[in-house]
Amino acid sequence: MSREFIPEDRAKQQTHYTTCYMCACRCGVKVTVDNGHVRFIEGNRSHPVNHGVICAKGSAGIMKQYSPAKLSKPLRRRSGSERGAGDFVEIEWDEALDLLTARLAKIRATNPTQLAFFTGRDQMQALSGLWAQQFGTPNWAAHGGFCSVNMAVAGLYTIGYSFWEFGAPDWDYAKYFMLWGVAEDHASNPIKIGLDKLKRSGAKFVSINPVRTGYSAIADEWIPIRPGTDGLLALALVHVLLKRGLVDWEFLIRYTNAPWLVVQTPGMPGDGLFARDGDGNPLVWDQDAQRLVNGTLAGIAPALYATRDLPDGRRAKTVFALATERYLDDRYAPETLAAECGVPAQTITRIALEMAHVAFNETVELLIPWTDMLGRTHHSVIGRPVAMHAMRGVSAHSNGFQTCRAIHLLQMLLGALDGPGNFRARTPFPRRIPMRTLPENDPALIFAPNTALKRMPNGYPARPEDLVIDADGRPLRIDKAYSWETPLSAHGLMHMVITNAVNRDPYPIDTLLLFMANMAWNSSMNTAEVRQMLARKDEQGDYAIPFLVVVDAFDSEIVKYADLVLPDTTYLERYDAISLLDRPISEPDAAADSIRHPVIALDRDVRPWQDVLVELASRLRLPAFSRADGSRKFKDYRDFIVNYEKLPGVGFLAGWRGKDGDKPLRGEPNPKQWERYIDNKGFFAYQWPEHMRYYRYANKDYLEFAEKHALRCRSSALPGRGCTPAGSRRIRGTASVSSHTSTRCRSGIHRSSPARPIAPGIR
Amino acid sequence: MMMYHSWDSQNAWLRQILSRNFLYMNRATAGASGLADDDWVWVESHHGRIRCQLKTMEGCEPHTVWTWNAVGRQRGTSGLAEDASEATAGFLLNHLISELLPASGARRFTNSDPVTGQAAWFDLRVRVRKCAPDETGIQPTFSAAKRRPDDDGSRPDVLHWTRGE
């Protein structure tokens, strides 16, 4: 049985650096190719995401390449066969593209909303979203609605960045790490590397999760919480911190809207909105001047606790006064919530005190001078080294948005955001709060034939006027996103598309285009009935969803329901841009993006979906993809990535811009950009200098740099917007902590251990 | 997590780690309910019921049951042999979860977070009952999918991987 050992001829092998796609992490991988076949896959040691670490899934990418499930030819449902029977005929690409182009052109020329385009584990949402916008349909989203939009929206509306891709725990300095709920694949190797660091440094790792699998297995403390009660637990922790005064008062005054006044007119218009001056600036009560002032100005002393009458006679209270009133209530006492959460009251109190101890007594100080938004320099950065992470576990509940907000409130009270040892932001985050991107909601544009939308289909509403509804309040989107039913549905509701389309609620559609989403199986709720809906016919014998296009590299249950199957390539066979315009791979200390490029040749009749999208856009003469004479602007996806500019000098890839490749982040297109990425092992990283690494919601140098390089909107607010981003606030922390708290505090709050000053230089 | 986000290819190496799922339950809770490892159970929600097999564990909150997503497959899909354990023993919880909440007046609202539209996968309450002795096998099942014309039907029991091949 012994087998002769034949050493491999390394000279005949090639190595290529590209990006993994076995989960959502996007680690750098090194692929060894032998005679045109994948020999093995290792981690890329220089890659900012995984530093060479690779997991079982990543190295098993070989078997993805050689899977029997690969699709290999465009397919059309056989004429006369029933949808779902899986009776297909093979067709050529020309026929497939002609057929689809004709259908899409007709939809676009009549009513573009008749196309619904939804994508699953799409790592190129910036392209698919642009395509939908240019086509003119609002009915586009990726899978975030059934994934973790709660985590994303709560973060972006609360702190300007969010868990998973838009932030990361600071594994190097954290001394206390709380992992809320299941998060194993978001991210995978980076969290493993991070937990290893925590174990080595002696930090405490607390896992709050009904099930002790995955990372929870190595937690120092596992808290088996009852599902869906994480928000209550977070607020019980808030209760303990408030009750004992274990709060970073100066952080709240300087960097949050805690001192802003909120109108209190229950049952009347305006109740619960910020009190603003005539120019839309938020009002605070200045303790020194003893009057209402613009809360964004320098040289003021905002009261954290205040109840004041506004000039028009309305009563207003500070945000913090309202929060304190609510969360000091016995409703949020550990003793009250213990049974609901399944966590003993003593445990809740102890965890709160442990966090506070680490935040305020084990503070990290780094001697890094930096400048805040007021232009004042500080000689060091101070970190309250408590870090948190959360993902699907807390998200996938009907209370997940509020749960994530509560977790962010907890971090704010501790002053534990984007400092050393905290949950830190990853470029292009933090963004303004709320973000300045609004979803398209103009019915005249949405229903206009042959017209691109002006805004993207998805965005971040801030006012009722931003909702995507008609004059009667009815949803304008097939998934009813941004309607009163789910107003901040920033990732759409892919899980509702089939049901709504079949129910013609709010309207029927013609074509449903699905990319990489198994909606006839595990990605749908109510799977058995959804399958019936996909095959449902009306009284005339026509399918309720007349045409279903499925794009995927692999066979699955949804493929069986397709009228047209467009086979995609694997991740080792194509170009991809993992873009800062999309779902970036930045790390807290570096802006970063990366690519994939073909490391093995195609052996079957499939095409990269990105190329097909560019091809369809060119055939349909979508404006961003066409010249004035209607001819195509881009040869293919590779060409598109190099030459498309979202803004002057801003494209999908940020590295080696400028015609000579010497301009990082912003610069004119570089025809050799792909080659430069390949030469650099598949990624680009722009390291932040030390003084731009922390407190980036308030870090003057970072914010100015980010605006200049279009990593963040400029300061000017949108017309009609009065919101003031935290980053541009002008609040001077002249008064001491005690002068705020001792004079304004409500009874029942103990201030025996006020937070230490954040940075002596501020005072 | 071994298959999570990697389901599409039904990866031969990852399938060796896990090729079917169970319903997982706290061991003490199971014992108090007369349930034990490998029992067939009915899992019932407001929306429907499924039949699957149980495993008990200690690292689970007493009132929680869970399973791995998307391990179960429809017979004849995903390049798997028709008797693959993913199709014969694997199952989905999705059948128990409705995309619409129970009717409230004339309307049915989405089973989602009312602010963001996030699908509320994890809010489901279920009852777990031991099956009768003659009740075995997963439910529901679906008929085998037809083979695609571009699929040569090869379903190797062993997928060899050697260099240059």
Side-chain angles (χ1 to χ4, degrees):
Chain A
M1 292 296 287
S2 70
R3 218 170 138 180
E4 187 187 357
F5 175 71
I6 307 168
E8 299 185 25
D9 185 354
R10 298 284 181 199
K12 284 187 178 168
Q13 296 178 339
Q14 304 86 42
T15 55
H16 305 280
Y17 290 89
T18 185
T19 305
C20 189
Y21 208 150
M22 290 299 289
C23 77
C25 270
R26 292 156 296 166
C27 293
V29 289
K30 177 184 175 185
V31 183
T32 297
V33 174
D34 190 330
N35 194 25
H37 291 261
V38 183
R39 180 68 184 91
F40 45 82
I41 300 176
E42 302 164 88
N44 175 355
R45 286 172 185 268
S46 54
H47 201 276
V49 170
N50 58 319
H51 306 282
V53 171
I54 193 154
C55 63
K57 279 196 270 194
S59 53
I62 298 168
M63 286 299 169
K64 181 169 218 151
Q65 191 60 42
Y66 302 121
S67 163
K70 283 200 305 278
L71 299 172
S72 57
K73 188 84 186 168
L75 303 172
R76 185 171 53 72
R77 179 166 60 85
R78 188 183 299 279
S79 303
S81 75
E82 294 298 316
R83 181 187 289 167
D87 192 359
F88 293 110
V89 289
E90 295 187 352
I91 57 173
E92 299 305 319
W93 273 98
D94 280 346
E95 183 186 346
L97 291 173
D98 288 348
L99 190 150
L100 186 55
T101 304
R103 188 141 198 142
L104 294 176
K106 189 176 167 198
I107 291 172
R108 190 162 189 263
T110 50
N111 177 358
T113 64
Q114 296 292 290
L115 171 66
F117 175 20
F118 284 80
T119 71
R121 289 182 296 111
D122 178 1
Q123 293 184 3
M124 46 156 213
Q125 294 172 22
L127 172 61
S128 48
L130 173 70
W131 192 98
Q133 179 219 25
Q134 293 290 307
F135 184 88
T137 181
N139 294 325
W140 173 83
H143 72 285
F146 69 69
C147 180
S148 294
V149 63
N150 273 332
M151 167 283 302
V153 169
L156 294 178
Y157 277 82
T158 308
I159 58 173
Y161 61 114
S162 67
F163 294 125
W164 172 214
E165 288 156 310
F166 305 158
D170 184 344
W171 307 108
D172 292 314
Y173 291 110
K175 296 180 183 177
Y176 201 86
F177 174 59
M178 297 179 80
L179 180 64
W180 297 79
V182 67
E184 308 337 61
D185 233 11
H186 305 85
S188 172
N189 288 331
I191 291 185
K192 290 172 200 152
I193 296 166
L195 293 178
D196 178 69
K197 286 182 177 176
L198 297 186
K199 290 283 173 185
R200 288 172 194 278
S201 69
K204 180 168 180 178
F205 166 22
V206 179
S207 167
I208 300 149
N209 195 327
V211 184
R212 190 166 195 175
T213 63
Y215 305 134
S216 301
I218 59 162
D220 296 299
E221 182 168 357
W222 172 50
I223 298 178
I225 192 169
R226 295 189 69 160
T229 64
D230 304 73
L232 291 179
L233 175 62
L235 293 172
L237 297 171
V238 164
H239 177 95
V240 175
L241 295 178
L242 288 173
K243 194 153 188 177
R244 301 189 183 222
L246 298 170
V247 171
D248 190 336
W249 309 104
E250 296 211 17
F251 179 91
L252 293 173
I253 292 165
R254 290 201 180 99
Y255 303 129
T256 77
N257 60 15
W260 290 13
L261 287 161
V262 180
V263 175
Q264 302 294 297
T265 52
M268 309 265 290
D271 182 44
L273 299 180
F274 289 124
R276 295 182 185 277
D277 65 17
D279 298 323
N281 298 302
L283 293 171
V284 300
W285 179 254
D286 187 314
Q287 305 183 106
D288 292 346
Q290 289 290 304
R291 61 189 178 86
L292 296 168
V293 296
N294 171 359
T296 67
L297 294 178
I300 57 173
L304 206 45
Y305 292 94
T307 302
R308 286 290 176 275
D309 289 331
L310 301 171
D312 60 13
R314 292 182 300 171
R315 170 76 35 118
K317 280 185 186 175
T318 62
V319 169
F320 201 66
L322 290 166
T324 305
E325 278 175 25
R326 172 172 290 197
Y327 299 122
L328 273 182
D329 191 280
D330 281 346
R331 170 71 181 105
Y332 297 99
E335 295 73 20
T336 313
L337 296 178
E340 278 172 272
C341 296
V343 182
Q346 307 92 296
T347 304
I348 300 174
T349 303
R350 176 174 53 76
I351 295 287
L353 297 181
E354 285 178 3
M355 282 192 311
H357 172 82
V358 171
F360 302 126
N361 298 330
E362 297 198 23
T363 305
V364 174
E365 182 173 12
L366 303 180
L367 295 175
I368 298 170
W370 67 287
T371 307
D372 69 21
M373 282 304 296
L374 301 176
R376 290 176 308 185
T377 55
H378 310 280
H379 78 277
S380 66
V381 291
I382 304 293
R384 308 208 174 276
V386 176
M388 298 188 189
H389 182 65
M391 189 47 201
R392 176 83 43 70
V394 296
S395 274
H397 293 281
S398 56
N399 64 5
F401 173 73
Q402 304 296 4
T403 299
C404 290
R405 286 183 69 212
I407 294 172
H408 291 313
L409 172 62
L410 193 53
Q411 292 167 290
M412 272 188 264
L413 293 181
L414 295 169
L417 284 169
D418 208 31
N422 298 154
F423 168 58
R424 290 177 59 203
R426 298 160 68 179
T427 303
F429 298 86
R431 290 265 170 88
R432 296 185 178 284
I433 306 169
M435 279 172 65
R436 293 299 194 255
T437 323
L438 296 175
E440 182 61 71
N441 67 351
D442 179 356
L445 271 177
I446 284 173
F447 293 105
N450 291 324
T451 305
L453 305 179
K454 283 205 174 113
R455 301 170 183 162
M456 294 298 279
N458 286 8
Y460 298 86
R463 309 170 303 171
E465 294 86 336
D466 301 335
L467 295 180
V468 185
I469 52 179
D470 67 14
D472 298 320
R474 286 182 303 234
L476 288 170
R477 285 175 55 124
I478 189 65
D479 58 357
K480 304 189 192 179
Y482 309 109
S483 69
W484 285 111
E485 197 168 330
T486 57
L488 303 185
S489 39
H491 293 178
L493 290 87
M494 190 174 184
H495 52 295
M496 298 307 298
V497 170
I498 293 165
T499 303
N500 291 352
V502 168
N503 291 338
R504 304 180 170 220
D505 175 20
Y507 47 69
I509 58 170
D510 177 81
T511 293
L512 175 59
L513 177 49
L514 296 174
F515 169 63
M516 216 177 169
N518 196 355
M519 301 309 287
W521 201 247
N522 61 290
S523 292
S524 279
M525 294 173 168
N526 189 18
T527 300
E529 282 184 50
V530 164
R531 291 161 65 93
Q532 290 166 12
M533 290 181 209
L534 287 169
R536 187 172 298 169
K537 291 178 178 174
D538 60 20
E539 301 78 28
Q540 285 76 45
D542 299 321
Y543 286 110
I545 298 174
F547 198 62
L548 177 58
V549 184
V550 172
V551 185
D552 208 313
F554 297 95
D555 185 51
S556 72
E557 288 80 358
I558 189 66
V559 166
K560 308 302 180 194
Y561 286 88
D563 297 305
L564 180 66
V565 180
L566 298 179
D568 193 12
T569 54
T570 74
Y571 70 108
L572 297 174
E573 298 169 327
R574 65 163 179 258
Y575 289 97
D576 269 331
I578 292 103
S579 168
L580 283 166
L581 304 181
D582 202 321
R583 307 174 57 191
I585 59 151
S586 298
E587 288 294 309
D589 289 341
D593 61 14
S594 63
I595 61 148
R596 296 190 183 91
H597 62 110
V599 301
I600 51 174
L602 278 179
D603 61 354
R604 60 204 184 286
D605 195 14
V606 302
R607 292 189 187 179
W609 172 234
Q610 291 93 320
D611 278 340
V612 175
L613 272 180
V614 172
E615 175 67 27
L616 289 168
S618 306
R619 289 175 175 225
L620 292 165
R621 301 188 175 189
L622 305 188
F625 296 83
S626 311
R627 295 202 177 85
D629 66 357
S631 64
R632 62 190 301 151
K633 211 186 243 178
F634 308 108
K635 182 172 165 283
D636 51 20
Y637 175 73
R638 194 177 186 278
D639 186 39
F640 168 83
I641 291 297
V642 169
N643 290 309
Y644 173 77
E645 289 177 279
K646 183 186 181 193
L647 295 167
V650 178
F652 272 59
L653 290 174
W656 300 281
R657 300 195 66 84
K659 64 181 181 346
D660 300 319
D662 55 356
K663 294 178 184 168
L665 300 171
R666 190 162 194 175
E668 66 277 16
N670 169 11
K672 295 282 178 199
Q673 196 176 24
W674 285 102
E675 288 82 350
R676 297 297 295 269
Y677 272 85
I678 292 168
D679 289 346
N680 196 56
K681 299 187 176 178
F683 69 94
F684 161 75
Y686 185 87
Q687 208 73 23
W688 295 115
E690 281 187 330
H691 67 288
M692 284 156 68
R693 286 185 186 176
Y694 299 102
Y695 310 140
R696 278 168 284 200
Y697 39 79
N699 184 316
K700 183 171 189 280
D701 291 318
Y702 174 80
L703 292 170
E704 288 177 359
F705 183 94
E707 286 183 11
K708 189 173 165 210
H709 290 83
L711 298 168
R712 187 181 162 98
C713 294
R714 293 206 176 271
S715 301
S716 56
L718 286 175
R721 285 295 172 78
C723 307
T724 305
S728 65
R729 298 183 58 216
R730 301 285 193 277
I731 294 175
R732 192 163 59 89
T734 48
S736 72
V737 168
S738 58
S739 74
H740 286 287
T741 52
S742 61
T743 55
R744 308 295 166 201
C745 212
R746 291 173 51 82
S747 59
I749 299 178
H750 308 289
R751 296 173 307 281
S752 53
S753 54
R756 289 185 197 170
I758 288 180
I762 289 179
R763 300 171 71 83
Chain B
M1 285 295 137
M2 63 298 295
M3 292 300 277
Y4 191 60
H5 285 160
S6 298
W7 314 287
D8 50 6
S9 64
Q10 287 300 312
N11 190 293
W13 286 351
L14 301 179
R15 289 185 64 213
Q16 291 173 37
I17 302 172
L18 183 83
S19 63
R20 62 161 298 186
N21 54 332
F22 291 87
L23 186 78
Y24 300 95
M25 179 187 274
N26 178 286
R27 189 161 294 159
T29 307
S33 314
L35 296 169
D37 279 350
D38 299 323
D39 278 353
W40 285 96
V41 292
W42 287 109
V43 188
E44 301 164 342
S45 76
H46 72 97
H47 189 63
R49 67 175 191 169
I50 63 167
R51 194 163 70 201
C52 60
Q53 227 170 343
L54 186 82
K55 282 280 186 202
T56 63
M57 61 185 284
E58 278 150 8
C60 186
E61 194 274 329
H63 306 279
T64 302
V65 291
W66 70 280
T67 192
W68 299 109
N69 178 21
V71 173
R73 307 304 299 215
Q74 181 186 355
R75 195 184 292 260
T77 64
S78 308
L80 295 173
E82 289 207 0
D83 61 353
S85 53
E86 285 86 348
T88 58
F91 64 95
L92 291 184
L93 285 181
N94 302 51
H95 302 298
L96 301 176
I97 307 171
S98 173
E99 77 280 29
L100 294 167
L101 294 175
S104 154
R107 297 193 58 185
R108 291 190 72 184
F109 290 98
T110 175
N111 179 14
S112 303
D113 186 297
V115 179
T116 66
Q118 157 95 48
W121 296 103
F122 298 158
D123 283 347
L124 193 73
R125 275 178 201 275
V126 294
R127 171 181 289 117
V128 180
R129 275 196 303 121
K130 191 168 179 168
C131 292
D134 59 336
E135 292 178 322
T136 58
I138 52 162
Q139 286 289 335
T141 57
F142 299 86
S143 56
K146 191 175 159 69
R147 184 148 59 85
R148 302 185 325 274
D150 63 321
D151 175 3
D152 65 8
S154 64
R155 303 286 186 266
D157 287 333
V158 178
L159 197 54
H160 278 292
W161 162 80
T162 49
R163 69 176 186 273
E165 290 174 12

